[in-house]
Amino acid sequence: MPSSRTSSPPVALITGVTGQDGSYLSTLLLDKGYVVHGLAPTHSFGLPVDPRVTTHHADLGEGTNLSAVIDQVAPAEVYHLGAQSHVKVSFELPVYTAEVTGLGTLRLLEAIRHHQARTGRQVRFYQASSSEMFGKAVETPQTEQTRFHPRSPYACAKVYAYWQTVNYREAYGMFACNGILFNHESPRRGEAFVTRKITRAATRIKLGLAHELRLGNLDACRDWGFAGDYVEAMWLMLQQNEPDDYVIATGETHSVREFLDEVFGYLELDWKKSVVIDPQFNRPSEVDLLRGDATKAREKLGWRPKVAFRELARMMVDADLKLAEQEAVIEKHR
Ligand code: G4F
């Protein structure tokens, strides 16, 4: 049941609506009968937004316009997905990342707190926390109790946002939840992230559109799940009686090398013939191994992942093969 207790459809606001998660979450909420509003930066080059979503051009760097949008939309639920979310980029833009990913969350929480005080209406808040906060992980698998050791400006900003979310819950009684999501991918994943970079390149190589794939550290291990499954967990968190924090993960870990094996193997190619190791894709400090334990989410939310590693890799390859085929047709007629 959506959290709104009124008879009119519940209203949700999604920040970062042009991203992968924003795209899947919009569809999920629209299918459940929500009125969906989305926050998109004016300069966004993201995914196309479902035409049933009302978009607002507001920026996480600017508190006044966030307040204006919250007051105008009067959402029952806010899903805060907007961020500078690329880990490697955060080393190049640490202050910008702190502004958007860290302070942007605080600005939004403040806008919601003032809106609640003015109107007396409760707004439920979801914070997109990240497994990157575990960083140089002190234990495996990681749970809600695992101590954070962030390894990038991005992860530091996410730790800040995590604690602000907890603090607004404790200090002001806000219904605020952290979803600590491990890596989650899909055919809609941005091409700068390693899984999609690999499936795009491998399918283009298959069709003779490319010959080389330049990558950094192949030994890094991640707990990769399907974004479509993970947005369901976000919604479930906001439907509970009490706000809380949850790890969302598959419980399996695989290296970048294994992802290459899976993708190139499926395409009957040998990745060793195409992959070139390029240090420009290494990070000044790396997160070597992440694997999450989502027992709490399973027991309290009834959530479990539906798509496994192999199926995920193949789903992405199948989608990118179609894209590459379209590119090949365009090439041919050039
Ligand atoms: O795909 P990645 O860039 O994802 P990363 O850094 O784990 O972060 C993603 O997941 C987090 C958890 O959900 C999010 F919070 C975050 O916003 C983002 O969505 O890199 C995965 C691994 C890294 O260890 C990286 O060093 O792949 C390694 N890698 C090796 N070569 C590469 C490359 N990563 C990228 N992006 N590009 C490469 O060429």
Side-chain angles (χ1 to χ4, degrees), residues 10-33:
V11 178
L13 175 69
I14 304 172
T15 73
V17 76
T18 56
Q20 166 189 258
D21 294 2
S23 165
Y24 281 105
L25 183 63
S26 299
T27 308
L28 179 117
L29 295 178
L30 288 164
D31 288 350
K32 288 185 185 296

Side-chain angles (χ1 to χ4, degrees), residues 21 79-81 125-134 144 148 154 158 161-162 165-166 169 176-184 230 233-235 237-238 243-249 297 301:
D21 294 2
Y79 295 87
H80 179 36
L81 314 182
F125 179 78
Y126 171 84
Q127 164 61 12
S129 283
S130 164
S131 57
E132 283 293 303
M133 300 189 303
F134 297 122
E144 292 80 5
F148 300 143
Y154 166 80
K158 281 287 183 186
Y162 169 94
T165 301
V166 172
R169 185 166 73 214
C177 302
N178 281 291
I180 308 174
L181 269 53
F182 282 61
N183 296 51
H184 44 287
Y230 285 36
M234 298 176 186
W235 177 77
M237 284 176 218
L238 295 201
D244 208 342
D245 308 318
Y246 297 89
V247 158
I248 300 299
L301 305 177

Side-chain angles (χ1 to χ4, degrees), residues 12 15 64 73 123 141 152 157 189 254 271 287 321 323:
T15 73
T64 322
V73 172
V123 181
S152 63
R189 186 58 146 149
H254 296 274
W271 61 262
V287 171
L321 205 48
L323 264 188

Side-chain angles (χ1 to χ4, degrees), residues 49-72:
V49 177
D50 187 304
R52 293 169 294 170
V53 174
T54 307
T55 50
H56 303 262
H57 293 296
D59 201 295
L60 291 165
E62 159 77 72
T64 322
N65 66 13
L66 290 176
S67 267
V69 172
I70 296 285
D71 286 342
Q72 188 195 336

Side-chain angles (χ1 to χ4, degrees), residues 83-91 97 101 126-139 142-143 146-163 178-185 189 192-195 217 219-224 230 246-249 253-254 256 281-292:
Q84 189 306 93
S85 68
H86 200 283
V87 175
K88 174 76 160 59
V89 169
S90 80
F91 286 100
T97 303
T101 307
Y126 171 84
Q127 164 61 12
S129 283
S130 164
S131 57
E132 283 293 303
M133 300 189 303
F134 297 122
K136 194 173 188 316
V138 296
E139 62 182 1
Q142 295 87 42
T143 72
T146 304
R147 186 164 55 77
F148 300 143
H149 185 141
R151 293 272 278 176
S152 63
Y154 166 80
C156 291
K158 281 287 183 186
V159 170
Y160 175 82
Y162 169 94
W163 283 114
N178 281 291
I180 308 174
L181 269 53
F182 282 61
N183 296 51
H184 44 287
E185 320 294 308
R189 186 58 146 149
F193 298 96
V194 78
T195 55
N217 177 17
D219 296 322
C221 291
R222 291 290 184 276
D223 180 332
W224 278 297
Y230 285 36
Y246 297 89
V247 158
I248 300 299
T253 192
H254 296 274
V256 173
F281 296 109
N282 290 341
R283 288 139 193 214
S285 45
E286 176 65 289
V287 171
D288 296 322
L289 188 149
L290 292 175
R291 181 163 73 84

